[in-house]
Amino acid sequence: MPRPTILTRADFETAFDTLQGAPLTLAVLDLDHFKTLNDSLGHAEGDRVLRGVERLLSGSLPTGSVIGRIGGDEYAAILPETAAETALILLDEVIKHFHIHRDPQWPRGLGLSVGLAARPAHASTYDDLKRAADEAMIRAKREGRGRACIYVESKMVLKSNYYPKSQLERLAKLSGALGRTEASLLREALDDLIEKNRSEL
C-alpha cells in the first residue's frame, strides 16, 4: 500500500476543499521544543526529525488520510469519515510511538502536541476548523505537551461542574483499566439511561 504524499500547505488546503462538506476530523500537529533541538544539534538533525515525523504519519494514519506540512515544524492531517474521538485514539498512538522511539540525543522535551477538530461538530470551513484545531493544540501544550486534545467550545460546561472529584477519579481509573476514553464511557452511560427510560420520550 503506497504511503500518502506529504503535501504543501496550498495543496493540503486544496485537498480539503475537494471533500466538499463530508464529515472529517482535522488534526494539527506541532513539535514541542523543536527550536531547542535545532539550536543544540543543528538544522541537519532537525530535518532528520521532520522526515521521521513524516514517515510516522504517512505510515500510521488510515488509508485515505491526507497529510500536509503547513509550517516549519507544523503538520496537519485530514481523516475523512472519522469522529474526533477515533482520531484522538489514532493520534495518541502516533504520539506514544514518537516518544518511545525518540533518539536519546534529542532534547528531553521533544515531542508532539496535537489538536483535533471535527466537521460538522465543531466547524464547517477549513479556516474555522483549523482555528478550532489550533486552539485544541495550544491547550495540549498548556496541559503538559506530548498529548492530543479535542476542541472544546468555550460555552460548553466542563464535566467537573457536574460530578464530584471522587466520581471523576473513579471514571479516570476505569478509563485506564478498560483502555477507553472517558468520553466514550460517559456516552455509553447516557445511551443506557436513554434506553432505560425510552417510554418517557
Side-chain angles (χ1 to χ4, degrees), residues 6-195:
I6 306 298
L7 303 178
T8 64
R9 180 176 190 145
D11 287 343
F12 182 81
E13 292 179 12
T14 299
F16 181 93
D17 290 340
T18 63
L19 293 169
Q20 299 180 337
L24 56 85
T25 291
L26 177 68
V28 173
L29 306 90
D30 188 77
L31 276 154
D32 303 319
H33 301 299
F34 185 67
K35 184 178 184 304
T36 304
L37 179 135
N38 270 338
D39 291 346
S40 60
L41 299 176
H43 289 274
E45 185 63 18
D47 289 343
R48 187 171 81 88
V49 170
L50 294 177
R51 287 194 300 273
V53 169
E54 291 175 4
R55 282 194 304 273
L56 176 59
L57 292 174
S58 63
S60 302
L61 296 182
T63 303
S65 299
V66 181
I67 304 163
R69 184 177 177 186
I70 56 174
D73 62 324
E74 187 177 12
Y75 292 85
I78 300 166
L79 289 83
E81 304 293 336
T82 304
E85 291 80 7
T86 303
L88 180 70
I89 294 167
L90 291 168
L91 272 303
D92 269 342
E93 287 302 312
V94 167
I95 291 166
K96 284 174 189 168
H97 183 93
F98 182 82
H99 182 75
I100 290 168
H101 297 281
R102 61 195 309 286
D103 193 310
Q105 70 168 329
W106 294 347
R108 193 168 170 219
L110 188 73
L112 287 170
S113 289
V114 180
L116 302 163
R119 183 171 73 185
H122 301 131
S124 299
T125 67
Y126 176 78
D127 287 343
D128 287 345
L129 209 57
K130 171 71 165 55
R131 198 173 299 117
D134 279 339
E135 192 174 311
M137 187 261 291
I138 289 166
R139 195 173 97 245
K141 287 184 177 288
R142 196 168 56 235
E143 292 181 1
R145 304 177 190 270
R147 67 194 63 208
C149 285
I150 297 173
Y151 173 70
V152 178
E153 294 179 75
S154 55
K155 66 184 179 184
M156 291 179 70
V157 180
L158 294 174
K159 64 179 184 291
S160 56
N161 288 12
Y162 288 120
Y163 306 107
K165 187 179 177 185
S166 60
Q167 279 189 317
L168 293 176
E169 287 170 352
R170 292 171 70 195
L171 176 65
K173 190 173 179 182
L174 184 61
S175 168
L178 298 177
R180 293 176 56 189
T181 63
E182 294 179 19
S184 72
L185 294 174
L186 289 172
R187 275 199 308 277
E188 181 181 303
L190 184 59
D191 287 344
D192 288 347
L193 178 66
I194 291 170
E195 189 61 36

